[in-house]
Every structure is written in structure tokens, then in C-alpha cells.
Amino acid sequence: MSRLTEAAVGVGLAALGLALTLAAADSLAEPAPVAPPAAPAAPPPDAPARVASYRLEASLDVPAHRVTGKGTLTWTNASSEPTRELWFHLYLNAFKNDKTVFLRSPFGAGRSGDHGSDYGYIDVSRLTVRELGTDDLWPRAARHSPGDPDDQTDIVLPLPAEVAPGATLHIDFEWQSRLPSIVERTGYSGSFHLVGHWFPKIARREPDGRWAHFTFHPQAEFYADFGSYDVSLDVPAEMVVGATGTQVRDERQGARRRLEFHADPVHDFVWTASPEFRERGEQIDGVRVRFLYPPGHETNTETAVDAIRFALPRFNRLYGAYPHPTLTVVHPPEHARNAGGMEYPALITTGGPWWAAKSGVRMIEGVTVHELGHQWFQGILASNEQAWPFLDEGFNTFAEMRALDARYGPGSMIALPGLTLSGAAARRAVAISAGHDHPVAQPADRFSSFDSIGALVYARTAITLETVGNVWGHDGLERAFSRYARRERFRHPGPKGFLEDVRVELGNDAHGSLHTALFDKGWVDYELADLDCVEIGPARGVFGDGAARTTSTGDGEKQRSCRALVRRKGTLRFPVDVELIFADGTRQRRRWQADEDWATFDATGKSEVVAATVDPDRLVLLDENLGNNSRRQRSEFGHRALERLTYAAGLALALAGP
Amino acid sequence: MSAVARTRRAWRAVLWVYGLRLLAAWIVASPLARALTSSVAAQHPRGDAILFDAGGLELVESLRLSLPVLASELKGALLIGTALGALSLIPAAVLLAALVEETPSGLPRWLGRAVELFPRFVLSFGARLFCQGAVLAAGAIALVRLHRRLASSWSDQSAAFTAAGLGLLVLAAAAALGILEDLVRVEAVRGATLKSALRRAARLLRARWATLTGSWLLMAGCSLLLPLGAASLVGLLDVSQPGASRLIGVTLVHQGVALGLVVARSLWLSLVVELGSAPRAERLPIDLQVAPAGAIPAEVEAHDAAPEPRE
Ligand SMILES: [Zn+2]
């Protein structure tokens, strides 16, 4: 059990106490417990259980940035335990005032980096449970998140009766949401709206009966049950709308427009509306992909289309088929840039200035492929992103990095004349610079800052997986991912299954190294500690006896005897090559399993070893220091670097000088 | 005499400016190169060729490992670069002295003139940098505000193009200051005091703004295209591959660019000199009384034999 789930259980018990107190006060006319149906229809093993399905009807008031709606949640107690409470996430309340958990955190700790200029909130006005009578139950709900009177994002609703395992509730509710100015990938900017966290959303109940509920923390993302969503939206007629799922109806009613969307199976629903959107559609690998973008972003969109054309079939092949008929790709306008770079089921947002695609920096390609990858790790696998952020962001960064490398080669991050930068090189620098003092596999709110999440969860996970693939084979690693992604589809996996898949496909060593790297702050530094040669000739002295006695003065052909000392520091172990380079230009590679902390590599011959390198192909990207991996007998002066820098300084002097 | 002929005649001064700039660049770059290559490249079998590998793994690692040293060296390099930049007013004056003279002389005389002119050049250079800084800073602030205002209501591209339009105006203003200073320097080399040089420069700029702007843009365009062209050529030569010939090739290309920049600037300054000493109808009055006695080179005095009355 993780430390987070322990905490969640503690909070859950405290809330249960509160719920029982409230229930006791209101127990005059307690309804009968809700029992499961006589023969619950079990879903087929590879299909998701529709635990939380929504029918929503909402209307957008553009000038007020307000969404008013009503809906029905059909929720099944899919756990093995009865419950007397429901937990709701009212995440729009994270932006209600400066005292919420989200907004009181030192800004910069959050993902979006900017404090919105306008506040947002969600009010539930009525909630009834058909199986429990007609009373409005919402007045019984807690006023704030557990233990935090200033936060209203994580709300418990005590029920007047117990809900048995397998029983289903039909929960009718009405609510109103006021959108904030864009913050953390939701809100409005001008007439652009990205409407996320906009309806009261039930938390997920784990199979053992624990509620996985949590406040909206600036460093954490989300977790929810699958269900089907039927959503009807009423917007001004000029609005172009994109949403999770497939549009099944579009009806003009005077100055308004009513659109209906169906999505199944998904665990969230988001939509966007703007009168400015241009639209482009394309069928890619069996999926109708719809691109919405502001005017002037045609080249960016072309680049995003190209990236999806490559990445969607690749991810389908590696991680199992994308399960929805449509995918919507939204490029927010520059003034709403904090809405960019976000994943929701069947809808992703990209982003970047209008000139991004021509800049030589692969911003558009990177963000598009990254957010697309989330359709599997966040959308389909749907791990608990709060408890195990690396299972989503880390695995997905690796998937993105490999895809971009496969498509764009060494310039997968930057491709300028004379300078290319790969995603792996950039991620390695970020990951290694941040050090290895904290585990990668820990809950999001345990990290010291979002920068730390960036370095450990995103970059270090990706570099760790890249190293494992480099050393033990990317084919095997792909097979492990394929097993994992297909088996755990719609099943909210934790980390164990994937590690087991790595053991099966790549062996115990790979499994052990991966586990240590992710869970136990594993690190490694290979060092070519010493390279030394001595001259040896024929032995001198008196040899043999009697008539066979000879005296040697040691004349004759001399040889060079060389020794390279290689060391491994740290807790990780990857087998590596050691390369010896001789004066005559020949090279020798020897394998070192690196079971020991150090080893020596000897070579005797006419030609001496002039240089030696451990891990010459740079397979171990987790190596803390690549600067100590080589030794040469004579260090070389950097003529090329001097030439390039002299030229650059000359240009600077010509530009800024008199 | 044409601008080309004037530049050709001053070829020794052109080479001198190029050589001194190369020396200054080398002084600035050497400690940086040492810092950058000390971490990974110095001990690697392939030496600093690895810094130019595709993908940038070793380059990024070198930057990461040598960052503390590199940062302090960079501060030093900026300081030295600024000092050398200021000192390069002397070669700049040498070049102008060589371009302005009508009777060919040689380095000792140019150098003498340059030392004489140094205080005036420092003053005009300082004033130009100050004014340019003010224009650019004010422009940048206005630009950010304008873009922010437009961005929420206009399309991204229209907002950016409008802001870029304003940006071009700001750059044009900054460039005009640079052109003005070149004109002032030419007049100063001819012997005018700064005050009268400024007056004459402004008058010449007003009278011949189209020719001046056109030829300056031509010079600036060439100075921009040269390094860009070189970059693609250097990419083909790829110094990450073994072979000294590649490095020699790249060095030749780069130094060709550096020399080309000096030549382009010399051509532009020659043109300014020519315009300043144009036939009588177009010529500007040379203000003899303003110039300090003996400061006016013989050729200028000869050319301006009939000065107009002082304003
Ligand atoms: Zn992500």
C-alpha cells in the first residue's frame, strides 16, 4: 500500500465518522438499504465496467462565463463493501478564492504557472437519489474538503441508507458552474472557452471499498471510473464546439444551438467552444480526427496532422486500438495558452504561437504526440494519477520520446541548421540535473515542486525506460508495454503488473534495475578511472641449467602492456561494453556485466592502448556523469570548439562593436 | 572614385580590421572553449568532435558539467568582449582614415589619425549606444503592451504582424541612429568637431536619405545572408566526422564570412565618404572654422577650397 492510500484511508475514516454523525441526526425516517439487482450482468472481461455514467444537459452563458445544467448520474457500487456515503469532486472550486489548496500553493508549484485573473466555482443546487426517495440530499453534504475549511473540491455526501455492493443508484442533480479565466487547463479567455471540471463528478471507489478521493492539488492530476456520457449542450449559434466523444446531433434553435455528444467508455468529459475556431477533419487509422484551431494557425495544424498520422497508428499497434470513433485536437489561441497541452478522453489540447511549426523547435509535434499518448496511459489505462503520476506522465513521456525519435531522428526536439537536439538528450539533462534524492514512484503531492515532478516523473521515468530498452532490448520492452496496455485496458492498473511484464519479457536483471530506479532512488555512474601502459620486453636474466643455460639481456622486440580500470558507483547495475582503442587505430570491445564495483581490462601487444571508454554507445542514459566515461593517454585540445566559438565571438563583435 | 575602388585601395586597413577582430574573438573564445571541452571532450577518444554529434547528447552533457566554470568564464568573456569592443574603435577609425584619404598613405599615418580621433569616436559611440538602448527599451515596452492588447481581440497572426510592424519601426529608428553615427564619424575623420559633424551628418542624411538607406539595407542584407549561407555549408562539412580537412574547410568558410562582413561594412563606409564628398551641387558645406586648426586632412581642405559661410 502506498503512503498516499494510507492517508486516503485515514481521511476516509474521519469522513465516515462525520457521515455517521450526520446520518444519525437525520435518521428519523431512514429508507431501506439499496440492494443489488437479482442477477447483475457481468461485463465481458476486456470491456470496462460502466461504473459512473452521466446524462448531462447544460447551457453556456458566454458573457457571464457560466454553465447551468442538470443531469443524472448512474452509479454502481462496484466494490466489495457497502457504502453509506458518496464522494464528489467539485474541482472547479479549486479556483474559487485565494485560500483553496490549489490557489494558496506558491504559484509556480502548479502546472500552468499562471494565476488566473478571474475566479471560478461550482454550486450544486439540488441532488436526489431515486432509490432513496425524493428528498434533496445535498444539504447533508460536507461544506468543505476533509480537514480543510478553506477548500471545497473534495466533498462527502452522507447517505440516509446503505448501498450494497453491486447496487446501482440513479442520482439526479442540478448545478451551476462559473468558469475562471484560463487556469490549469480550464476556463475562458475572451470568447474562447475550455470547459473542464464543470460538473459534480463522483470519485472512484476502489474494489476493496476505499474511496479514492482527493482535493485538487496543484501538482496532481485525476482519477475516475469509466462510464458512458450523453451530453447535450446549448450554446450561442455562432459557437464552434468540440467535445469528448462523437457529436450525434446539432440543431439550430434561433440564436442558440443544441449539440449532443455521446462518449463511451470514458472517465471524464470536457468541451470547448469558440466562435473563432477553424476546423479541419481527417480519417486517420480508422479514427475521425477533428482539428479545431484559431485563424492563422494553419501551418501548426498541418504539423499536428502530420504528427497524428504518424503517432496514432504507432500507438494503436503498440498499446492496443484507440477505442473511440473520434478524436478532437484543439489548438487554443495564444491568449488562452494556459489551456494548451492537456489530455482529456477523446479530446486533447495542443498549443504554441502561430509561428511554432516554423521555428525549428518541435513544439507542435512534441505536444501533439504527448497529449495523444495520454489517450492510452490516462484515457484507456486510467491509472490513479494522484497516487502514481509516473504511470501516466512518465510512461507517456517515454512513449512520446520514442515516437518522435522514430519520426524525426536526432532532431526530435530541435532541428536547426548546425544544431540538432534529441528528446533523450534534453530529458537526460533535466533528469540527471535534478539528482536522485527522491523516488520517482510516489504520489504527486509528495514532490517538492512541479519542477521536481517534471524532472523525476516525466524525464527520469522516460530516461530510465530508455536505458532499460537500450541495454536489454527495445523490442522486449515494447512487448512488455504491449502486454501491460492490452491486459490492463480500462482497469486502472498500479505499477506491479507492468514490472512483472518487464520481468517476463526482459528478465530479472531488467526488472530489478527498473524497480530500484523507480522506487528506491536508484542511480549509477560508470567511470573509466585509470588507463596506464608500461613497456615490457623479453625477460632478462639467466635461464635454464647446464648446457641449456642461457643469458638474456632483454634485447628484442618490446611490447606495451596496458590496463584500464573501470568503476561502477551507485545502486543500479547495467551490463556495459568497455572499448579499448590502440595506437594503430584498432579497437577492441569487451563486455562487463558490472556485477562488481570495479574491473580491470588488460591488453598487451605491439600497439599500446591510447584511449578507453566505458559504455561507448551511451546506452546507459541514467549514467550520472558522461564526462568520466573515457580516458586517453594524451588529452586533446578542442580545436573544433575553439573555431566555432571564435567565429561566434567574431559575429557578436561585428554586430555589437563599433 | 567609386566606393568599390575606395575600399580596394584601403585593402590593408580592411585586413587590419579583420585581423584585429579575429584576434579579439580568439581572446574572448579561448577560455570558453577550454571550459566547454574540459568535461567530456578532453578525455573522449573522439575529442571535441563529439560536441557536434547529431542529437546533442554530449554537447548538452558538456554544458551541464562545465556550467559552473562556463558561467564564470562567460562573465569574464563578456567583460573582455566589452573592453575589446570599445578598443576596436581604433581599428574602426583606422579603416575610416584609410577610406577617407585621397592620397594613399599607410598604417602609421592611419594609426596616428585613429589615436587622435579616439576620444571623439568614444563619445559618439557612447551617445549612439545610449540612444539606441533607449529607443530599443521604449520600443520593447510598447511592443509588449501592444501585443497584449491586440492578442485578446485580434487573431494571433494579425496581432503578431502588427506588433512586428511596430518592431520594424523601432529597429529602423535604431538603425537610423547607427547610420547617423557612421556619417558623423566620416565627418569627424575629415576633421570636423563632433558638433559640426553631427550637423553635417544630419544634413547629409536628410539630403540623401534614399541612397543611404538603400545602400545600408543592401549592406545589412549581405551581412545577414553571409552567415546564413555559411551555416548550411558548414552543416554539410560536419566536423563530427573525423578528418582535419573538414575543420580546415569550416574555418575557411567562417573566416570568409568574417572577412566578408568587414568588406561589406567598408563598402558602405566608402559610399558614405563618396556621398560626403560629392560634386558641388550636392555637396554639403564643410565648416572649416569649427574644425580645430590642422585637424583637417589636406585632401579635404583641397576638396573644399571654397567653403560656404558658417551658419
Ligand atoms: Zn502529460
Side-chain angles (χ1 to χ4, degrees):
Chain A
M1 186 192 288
S2 74
R3 277 177 290 178
L4 168 95
T5 37
E6 279 171 7
V9 169
V11 171
L13 286 175
L16 191 66
L18 172 73
L20 290 175
T21 316
L22 285 170
D26 195 32
S27 61
L28 283 175
E30 189 171 291
V34 185
D46 60 335
R50 270 74 171 180
V51 174
S53 294
Y54 292 80
R55 274 184 177 279
L56 303 172
E57 226 174 276
S59 171
L60 172 67
D61 176 348
V62 171
H65 309 298
R66 207 176 280 279
V67 178
T68 309
K70 59 180 183 179
T72 302
L73 159 64
T74 306
W75 179 78
T76 303
N77 180 5
S79 77
S80 56
E81 298 295 320
T83 184
R84 252 198 105 136
E85 63 186 13
L86 301 175
W87 284 85
F88 284 92
H89 288 150
L90 305 182
Y91 280 167
L92 215 52
N93 283 338
F95 318 112
K96 189 169 184 178
N97 59 55
D98 294 338
K99 291 169 107 180
T100 67
V101 168
F102 189 94
L103 288 183
R104 74 180 180 235
S105 309
F107 246 80
R111 285 160 181 270
S112 71
D114 277 342
H115 197 309
S117 57
D118 192 8
Y119 297 91
Y121 52 86
I122 172 168
D123 283 331
V124 178
S125 45
R126 183 178 166 77
L127 186 147
T128 56
V129 178
R130 289 181 206 166
E131 288 75 7
L132 298 175
T134 52
D135 287 355
D136 179 10
L137 299 180
W138 196 249
R140 303 160 64 107
R143 307 319 306 161
H144 54 77
S145 305
D148 194 331
D150 293 323
D151 192 275
Q152 296 176 299
T153 58
D154 186 20
I155 298 296
V156 64
L157 173 68
L159 295 176
E162 197 168 73
V163 183
T168 294
L169 300 182
H170 294 83
I171 304 163
D172 299 308
F173 53 92
E174 290 168 22
W175 87 99
Q176 194 172 66
S177 293
R178 167 70 163 74
L179 299 172
S181 61
I182 294 280
V183 56
E184 200 68 10
R185 279 76 167 199
T186 189
Y188 72 91
S189 174
S191 57
F192 168 86
H193 292 73
L194 181 65
V195 191
H197 315 302
W198 58 291
F199 60 95
K201 197 170 158 196
I202 195 158
R204 174 172 149 79
R205 196 147 196 257
E206 299 286 10
D208 62 3
R210 285 173 301 124
W211 282 95
H213 65 92
F214 26 82
T215 53
F216 196 159
H217 191 278
Q219 285 169 196
E221 291 190 291
F222 315 106
Y223 187 38
D225 268 313
F226 284 97
S228 72
Y229 283 66
D230 290 284
V231 179
S232 164
L233 300 171
D234 165 58
V235 297
E238 72 274 15
M239 284 290 186
V240 180
V241 177
T244 295
T246 310
Q247 187 180 304
V248 290
R249 194 165 156 205
D250 181 359
E251 204 175 82
R252 210 186 153 116
Q253 298 165 342
R256 306 286 294 181
R257 223 175 134 183
R258 178 162 290 280
L259 298 120
E260 281 179 25
F261 292 89
H262 172 74
D264 178 52
V266 290
H267 53 66
D268 200 0
F269 189 99
V270 70
W271 53 289
T272 181
S274 165
E276 305 287 328
F277 278 141
R278 304 285 158 89
E279 189 172 347
R280 183 183 161 165
E282 186 165 320
Q283 194 79 14
I284 301 175
D285 211 27
V287 179
R288 207 183 87 75
V289 188
R290 185 176 178 225
F291 297 85
L292 298 177
Y293 58 95
H297 286 259
E298 285 75 13
T299 317
N300 283 344
T301 305
E302 206 49 57
T303 307
V305 172
D306 181 73
I308 299 241
R309 275 186 205 137
F310 177 77
L312 183 56
R314 177 186 168 90
F315 291 161
N316 275 337
R317 175 174 58 80
L318 290 177
Y319 312 124
Y322 176 79
H324 309 294
T326 59
L327 169 72
T328 302
V329 182
V330 180
H331 190 117
E334 256 304 89
H335 58 82
R337 73 177 71 88
N338 279 335
M342 186 59 190
E343 70 280 8
Y344 292 100
L347 185 148
I348 58 176
T349 68
T350 61
W354 61 272
W355 42 264
K358 294 171 186 155
S359 67
V361 181
R362 297 199 192 278
M363 290 182 245
I364 302 291
E365 296 91 325
V367 70
T368 306
V369 173
H370 181 91
E371 305 311 335
L372 176 70
H374 275 304
Q375 290 304 313
W376 282 264
F377 296 103
Q378 188 256 5
I380 301 172
L381 291 166
S383 300
N384 185 335
E385 293 182 83
Q386 203 277 350
W388 304 112
F390 83 97
L391 288 182
D392 174 38
E393 292 295 359
F395 283 10
N396 185 43
T397 301
F398 174 67
E400 171 217 328
M401 200 171 84
R402 296 288 300 168
L404 291 175
D405 278 355
R407 175 73 179 83
Y408 304 106
S412 59
M413 191 167 258
I414 294 179
L416 293 168
L419 176 72
T420 53
L421 182 66
S422 70
R427 259 59 173 255
R428 195 197 105 79
V430 172
I432 299 294
S433 301
H436 49 79
D437 301 332
H438 303 281
V440 170
Q442 60 173 341
D445 56 0
R446 297 284 165 86
F447 289 89
S448 57
S449 65
F450 186 67
D451 283 347
S452 173
I453 290 195
L456 290 166
V457 168
Y458 288 70
R460 200 170 177 94
T461 306
I463 290 308
T464 300
L465 290 166
E466 183 75 9
T467 300
V468 167
N470 286 348
V471 172
W472 284 290
H474 277 288
D475 288 348
L477 187 57
E478 276 185 7
R479 284 197 304 276
F481 262 110
S482 180
R483 289 167 72 102
Y484 164 71
R486 285 174 165 87
R487 184 189 62 239
E488 306 287 355
R489 213 168 153 83
F490 308 116
R491 294 168 72 109
H492 314 279
K496 258 193 194 147
F498 176 73
L499 285 166
E500 231 7 79
D501 293 325
V502 168
R503 188 203 298 279
V504 170
E505 293 295 344
L506 298 173
N508 284 337
D509 286 353
H511 170 272
S513 293
L514 184 60
H515 190 279
T516 306
L518 296 174
F519 286 82
D520 301 326
K521 311 175 194 176
W523 68 283
V524 70
D525 180 19
Y526 288 93
E527 183 188 14
L528 202 306
D530 198 17
L531 173 64
D532 211 7
C533 295
V534 289
E535 194 175 59
I536 53 166
R540 285 184 300 173
V542 181
F543 298 90
D545 295 307
R549 175 167 291 174
T550 55
T551 306
S552 167
T553 54
D555 296 337
E557 205 173 350
K558 300 275 193 290
Q559 289 203 315
R560 302 291 293 176
S561 173
C562 300
R563 165 166 292 187
L565 168 64
V566 184
R567 278 206 288 248
R568 177 180 61 81
K569 292 179 268 183
T571 53
L572 293 173
R573 194 175 59 75
F574 301 100
V576 285
D577 282 346
V578 175
E579 185 171 65
L580 306 177
I581 298 166
F582 295 85
D584 61 6
T586 55
R587 286 157 192 263
Q588 251 181 42
R589 282 216 178 179
R590 314 229 183 121
R591 193 71 173 159
W592 183 36
Q593 288 305 322
D595 291 327
E596 325 80 16
D597 296 343
W598 60 272
T600 54
F601 295 84
D602 296 329
T604 303
K606 282 183 200 152
S607 186
E608 77 166 4
V609 177
V610 290
T613 304
V614 56
D615 188 23
D617 298 326
R618 301 300 202 220
L619 299 182
V620 183
L621 291 178
L622 270 180
D623 190 337
E624 291 283 316
N625 183 345
L626 300 181
N628 60 12
N629 284 31
S630 302
R631 279 276 171 150
R632 30 192 306 164
Q633 296 282 10
R634 274 187 311 130
S635 71
E636 197 202 56
F637 180 73
H639 292 103
R640 294 171 186 83
L642 179 63
E643 187 281 328
R644 200 56 62 96
L645 287 167
T646 302
Y647 172 61
L651 285 185
L653 284 169
L655 184 75
Chain B
M1 197 190 305
S2 74
V4 177
R6 205 173 270 277
T7 301
R8 201 185 300 142
R9 207 188 56 187
W11 66 270
R12 277 170 302 163
V14 170
L15 281 184
W16 212 68
V17 169
Y18 159 75
L20 284 181
R21 186 179 287 163
L22 177 61
L23 180 67
W26 179 79
I27 290 171
V28 170
S30 292
L32 296 178
R34 211 172 307 122
L36 182 65
T37 54
S38 64
S39 51
V40 184
Q43 290 295 326
H44 196 276
R46 284 174 53 221
D48 69 344
I50 53 162
L51 299 181
F52 298 87
D53 279 353
L57 178 69
E58 313 281 352
L59 176 64
V60 173
E61 180 69 345
S62 297
L63 287 169
R64 188 182 76 82
L65 290 174
S66 52
L67 199 63
V69 189
L70 204 58
S72 82
E73 292 290 2
L74 204 61
K75 272 182 224 156
L78 271 176
L79 217 68
I80 295 171
T82 309
L84 290 173
L87 273 179
S88 61
L89 280 168
I90 292 190
V94 163
L95 179 63
L96 266 181
L99 291 174
V100 163
E101 70 179 9
E102 298 298 330
T103 325
S105 60
L107 188 60
R109 190 176 146 76
W110 302 333
L111 210 52
R113 276 299 279 146
V115 170
E116 224 172 278
L117 288 164
F118 188 65
R120 262 178 279 176
F121 268 45
V122 168
L123 212 63
S124 76
F125 185 50
R128 189 255 286 184
L129 283 187
F130 177 79
C131 295
Q132 267 183 340
V135 165
L136 290 175
I141 293 169
L143 215 75
V144 169
R145 288 201 180 152
L146 177 78
H147 188 254
R148 203 174 295 156
R149 182 161 303 175
L150 297 183
S152 55
S153 46
W154 292 22
S155 83
D156 294 348
Q157 214 171 16
S158 324
F161 279 143
T162 312
L166 176 68
L168 275 182
L169 280 180
V170 172
L171 283 181
L177 286 167
I179 294 175
L180 187 68
E181 201 217 347
D182 283 342
L183 267 55
V184 166
R185 280 191 204 166
V186 169
E187 294 301 336
V189 174
R190 286 207 167 109
T193 59
L194 270 187
K195 202 172 144 197
S196 66
L198 185 63
R199 203 159 43 217
R200 289 181 215 175
R203 213 176 298 148
L204 179 62
L205 192 58
R206 259 202 315 274
R208 306 296 302 270
W209 67 270
T211 316
L212 284 167
T213 311
S215 48
W216 186 88
L217 282 176
L218 195 68
M219 186 265 298
C222 288
S223 306
L224 199 70
L225 286 179
L226 271 175
L228 287 181
S232 44
L233 210 60
V234 164
L236 293 177
L237 285 169
D238 189 7
V239 290
S240 73
Q241 302 295 322
S245 54
R246 290 174 184 273
L247 179 59
I248 293 169
V250 168
T251 309
L252 288 176
V253 171
H254 279 159
Q255 290 316 307
V257 170
L259 182 60
L261 292 182
V262 181
V263 170
R265 182 149 172 78
S266 305
L267 282 168
W268 150 252
L269 288 172
S270 296
L271 189 94
V272 173
V273 171
E274 285 299 316
L275 287 177
S277 52
R280 177 138 192 92
E282 293 173 35
R283 205 180 61 219
L284 298 160
I286 299 280
D287 193 339
L288 281 176
Q289 280 125 312
V290 177
I296 301 165
E299 61 272 16
V300 177
E301 277 182 287
H303 196 85
D304 291 298
E308 285 171 17
R310 191 185 171 184
E311 291 154 271

